[in-house]
Amino acid sequence: MLSFQCPSPFFFSGQNRTTTTSCSTAPPRASTELTASPSSLISRRLILLRHAHSSWDHLSLKDHDRPLTKTGHADAAKVAQILSSLGWLPQLILSSDATRTKETLKSMQAQVDGFMEANVHFIPSFYSIAAMDGQTADHLQHIISKYSSPDITTVMCMGHNKGWEEAASMLSGASVKLKTCNAALLLAFGNSWDDAFAMAGPGGWKLEGIVAPDNTICV
């Protein structure tokens, strides 16, 4: 488990810091092995990442095809650095096939080699499911179980609001807000991903933190 000592969420922007909080822009790298549960089940780490900021400059483009802005590309690189520093590098990446999610991933891969090593699948349904009330969490579980294997312990799912906020909130039991290029870090235990979802159930995933590109990390 990440040993943060700040109120939830664990990641704050500089302007939100208090004088009693120690924050750093260069966090120590966390161990890739999280603390085992009492029953010694395997840690399952789920990153729910909303795509980076996209452009509305080209009104002739379909929403699905909108690209990132320069800020979006920069933010994706920053989040990749933070996730790498925390040791949260995914072995499996499941992403919407929208242009803005693909470009978010491409910028992350360009910044951190570890993201190039993950197995990547683009899931067209991730684009549409995010617009449907309350259906994203179940759909994520189905897709993760389909593409994962027991040896994969960290999965990143990339997509859109409102579904990604709803899924993070439903899984963790917390009220999670995900701005563009924000990532919710979720933890559960199980000998497989199906086991982890079944054992945690709705509200049973631990929210380890929220990563944002313009934030420092409180320790």
Side-chain angles (χ1 to χ4, degrees), residues 122-209:
F122 292 105
I123 313 296
S125 59
F126 276 13
Y127 175 77
S128 56
I129 199 70
M132 301 179 185
D133 289 337
Q135 297 187 38
T136 303
D138 285 343
H139 188 65
L140 289 175
Q141 177 179 346
H142 172 73
I143 297 298
I144 291 169
S145 296
K146 177 179 178 179
Y147 285 96
S148 67
S149 57
D151 60 303
I152 292 174
T153 57
T154 305
V155 174
M156 182 168 74
C157 293
M158 303 175 63
H160 313 263
N161 271 356
K162 59 185 172 181
W164 256 239
E165 282 187 345
E166 287 183 346
S169 299
M170 186 176 296
L171 291 172
S172 68
S175 179
V176 177
K177 299 298 181 184
L178 296 177
K179 297 181 180 180
T180 52
C181 214
N182 281 199
L185 310 183
L186 302 171
L187 171 69
F189 295 92
N191 289 326
S192 68
W193 282 91
D194 280 336
D195 285 349
F197 278 105
M199 293 177 66
W205 287 74
K206 179 175 175 56
L207 179 63
E208 291 285 295

Side-chain angles (χ1 to χ4, degrees), residues 9 11 47-53 72 75-76 79 82-83 104 108 156-161 164-165 168 176-185 209-215:
F11 305 89
I47 304 166
L48 296 185
L49 175 68
R50 184 183 172 191
H51 64 82
H53 189 264
D75 285 349
V79 166
I82 295 172
L83 291 173
T104 298
M108 296 176 80
M156 182 168 74
C157 293
M158 303 175 63
H160 313 263
N161 271 356
W164 256 239
E165 282 187 345
V176 177
K177 299 298 181 184
L178 296 177
K179 297 181 180 180
T180 52
C181 214
N182 281 199
L185 310 183
I210 305 292
V211 171
D214 61 346
N215 287 356

